[in-house]
Amino acid sequence: MNKIAFITGASAGIGKSTAIMLAKNSYNIIISGRRKNLLDDLKKQIESDYQVEVITLNIDVRNRSEVEKSINSLPENWKNIDVLINNAGLAAGMSPIQSGDIEDWEKMIDTNVKGLLYVSRAIMPIMVERKTGHIVNISSAAGKETYANGNIYCATKHAVESLTKAMRIDMLPHGIKVSSVSPGMVETEFSLVRFNGDEKRAADIYKGIDALSADDIADTIEFIINRPKHVNINDIFIMPTAQATTTYAVRNT
Ligand code: NDP
Ligand code: 8X3
């Protein structure tokens, strides 16, 4: 029987590439996100390319009751989730705290921290009951460093780092692995979302840099989940070769 993986934020970017990687690895997958049309398209694409089954869950991870209800109403055999990829996340805006947009803060905290917790809280008891599972949290270089005007986003990713460690402690007696991936610049819709659809500003972030791709992160996750039973990768901190810190990269311009 195929193993089951649950991916949050699978409609685009890293989550979408990870869903495809998991299908290649013969997982039946539950793909979730807010944009139903993109999830439906991905389901069709994966089902035609791979011999696996796909369920779409149209959820906003910020909505606790929606998260709980949709996970509780999965068919019984789909609740046996082997791999959870906590990927859904975003940055919104870049400004000093004294002039920050409080709605942007709420979005980041509610998605990156509370959303990750709601999904994990609904799935972890099932893993504990089955004494098997692997949780992979998508953190960030912003979880290791704090950069100018990154304040709240960096704080949410520092929280993901801390929660990853806490989960590893809590899951230890139950034989469940907990890992994280902490990427630097990955060229996805991330900057477009951060700058509220400003294409020029988003493109400038990656200008002259051979940034990481979503597939590079999916490859990293593939390595993490395919280690032998006795090996857990705690964290992989990965950057483009052209980047050394969140604020120092060499550009070919
Ligand atoms: P994208 O913007 O391309 O993808 C983000 C995904 O998250 C989308 O599928 C989006 O789906 C989903 N998402 C956002 N908000 C919600 C929500 N409230 N409920 C459910 N799903 C949501 O960005 P990335 O692929 O780059 O980002 C994925 C993760 O990687 C994030 O956690 C990000 O912080 C992290 N990261 C990204 C880096 C980068 O440089 N790109 C570097 C380091 C970490 P939908 O809009 O359909 O809901
Ligand atoms: C995204 C990486 O450096 O833009 O998480 O914050 S960074």
Side-chain angles (χ1 to χ4, degrees):
M1 220 185 82
N2 294 12
K3 287 186 170 181
I4 296 170
F6 188 110
I7 308 121
T8 66
S11 54
I14 294 169
K16 179 177 177 182
S17 286
T18 302
I20 294 168
M21 175 280 290
L22 288 161
K24 269 189 208 158
N25 279 264
S26 302
Y27 280 79
N28 287 338
I29 51 180
I30 302 159
I31 51 176
S32 66
R34 291 167 302 176
R35 287 171 291 177
K36 185 178 180 318
N37 58 328
L38 296 182
L39 295 174
D40 290 343
D41 291 349
L42 182 61
K43 174 178 159 74
K44 262 188 228 142
Q45 179 193 333
I46 289 178
E47 284 177 343
S48 87
D49 291 349
Y50 307 100
Q51 299 296 309
V52 299
E53 292 172 40
V54 182
I55 286 185
T56 61
L57 282 189
N58 193 203
I59 47 172
D60 183 330
V61 294
R62 294 173 295 180
N63 185 329
R64 181 176 150 200
S65 61
E66 199 173 275
V67 167
E68 287 169 356
K69 211 166 85 192
S70 51
I71 293 174
N72 289 338
S73 58
L74 282 169
E76 276 313 306
N77 55 327
W78 280 87
K79 286 186 182 158
N80 294 336
I81 294 159
D82 297 286
V83 170
L84 165 61
I85 312 288
N86 273 319
N87 164 75
L90 80 166
M94 264 188 111
S95 49
I97 295 179
Q98 67 273 20
S99 56
D101 179 329
I102 296 178
E103 278 185 16
D104 281 348
W105 299 358
E106 316 262 31
K107 250 188 241 167
M108 291 186 273
I109 295 167
D110 290 353
T111 309
N112 302 356
V113 183
K114 291 166 74 180
L116 178 145
L117 281 170
Y118 295 156
V119 173
S120 303
R121 179 65 181 82
I123 293 175
M124 284 164 79
I126 314 171
M127 289 184 169
V128 167
E129 173 93 22
R130 296 176 63 230
K131 294 222 163 290
T132 183
H134 196 161
I135 299 166
V136 182
N137 292 331
I138 308 304
S139 181
S140 169
K144 317 274 188 200
E145 298 170 24
T146 302
Y147 54 86
N149 299 326
N151 41 61
I152 311 305
Y153 179 66
C154 295
T156 64
K157 289 299 182 176
H158 277 69
V160 172
E161 295 272 306
S162 178
L163 290 170
T164 301
K165 289 174 191 155
M167 285 180 182
R168 195 152 45 239
I169 293 167
D170 293 345
M171 292 298 97
L172 184 68
H174 306 288
I176 292 156
K177 297 188 188 190
V178 181
S179 307
S180 60
V181 181
S182 305
M185 272 187 265
V186 189
E187 196 161 356
T188 60
E189 293 177 6
F190 178 84
S191 293
L192 198 61
V193 171
R194 177 172 228 168
F195 301 125
N196 208 14
D198 183 335
E199 290 183 12
K200 158 96 177 61
R201 204 170 165 201
D204 281 349
I205 295 288
Y206 310 107
K207 203 171 175 182
I209 287 188
D210 198 1
L212 296 173
S213 67
D215 284 348
D216 292 324
I217 307 306
D219 281 351
T220 307
I221 297 171
E222 184 173 34
F223 175 79
I224 289 173
I225 61 168
N226 284 326
R227 292 309 86 216
K229 194 171 187 303
H230 68 289
V231 178
N232 183 59
I233 305 291
N234 287 1
D235 180 34
I236 293 184
F237 187 7
I238 174 174
M239 279 189 174
T241 307
Q243 184 182 14
T245 73
T246 51
T247 51
Y248 181 47
V250 175
R251 295 175 193 267
N252 298 313
T253 46

